[in-house]
Amino acid sequence: MRNFIRERLDASISAKELLFREGSDTIIAAARLMAVAIADGNKIMACGNGGSAADAQHLAAEFVNRFILDRRPLAAIALTCDSSVITSIGNDFDYNDICAKQVLALGRSGDVLLAVSTSGTSANVVAAVKQAAAIGVHTIALTGGSGGSLKEMADL
């Protein structure tokens, strides 16, 4: 068990070191993009499935409530929280449309969509990024592995 734990911790440390070496500039650019969007009166939308949906919800909560510092609430919404919207779209259309339809309904040019997908290939998240791009919403993909198709589609 100790070896199992050690291997997982070593892998996590290695991933974080690689992210710092190769991804710091992108993280800074994403933070700036979101800061400008909020300063201009726009909002942050976030989406994902399963654990990625939980991550999207957590990110939105940090914007709306606070993160480290007490400050005014910032406009953010997770597109994974409204079960009536999700189930009606999934039932009447297709599960792959659940986020794209919400982006179309709620998104405005200058907003930012955070698309969270471990594989980078989740069909409903990919559809949301396509919809966002079509209406002038900036996109940031948070992925694992090789990044899948989201790596090439997203602005960052």
Side-chain angles (χ1 to χ4, degrees):
M1 183 54 82
R2 281 189 170 297
N3 286 339
F4 177 82
I5 294 168
R6 180 81 250 163
E7 288 170 5
R8 296 312 174 275
L9 290 173
D10 285 344
S12 176
I13 291 166
S14 294
K16 290 175 177 92
E17 288 174 341
L18 179 65
L19 178 61
F20 177 75
R21 281 192 313 273
E22 296 183 8
S24 294
D25 291 340
T26 303
I27 293 169
I28 292 167
R32 286 186 176 139
L33 179 64
M34 290 185 287
V36 168
I38 293 292
D40 288 346
N42 295 102
K43 70 182 147 311
I44 310 298
M45 296 176 289
C47 65
N49 295 295
S52 296
D55 292 338
Q57 289 171 213
H58 184 177
L59 289 164
E62 297 291 5
F63 282 103
V64 172
N65 186 27
R66 67 179 192 141
F67 179 70
I68 300 173
L69 303 172
D70 284 332
R71 48 140 173 87
R72 73 173 180 84
L74 305 175
I77 185 170
L79 305 179
T80 54
C81 293
D82 191 330
S83 60
S84 296
V85 168
I86 291 168
T87 57
S88 69
I89 294 169
N91 183 63
D92 295 350
F93 293 92
D94 188 270
Y95 183 81
N96 292 336
D97 296 329
I98 64 168
C99 296
K101 281 190 162 279
Q102 291 181 79
V103 168
L104 184 58
L106 303 171
R108 301 294 175 260
S109 181
D111 289 346
V112 176
L113 174 67
L114 294 173
V116 187
S117 172
T118 302
S119 67
T121 61
S122 301
N124 64 323
V125 178
V126 168
V129 170
K130 287 179 182 175
Q131 182 61 67
I135 63 171
V137 171
H138 304 288
T139 56
I140 300 169
L142 304 175
T143 69
S146 67
S149 56
L150 287 177
K151 180 180 180 180
E152 301 306 319
M153 295 173 59
D155 297 325
L156 297 170

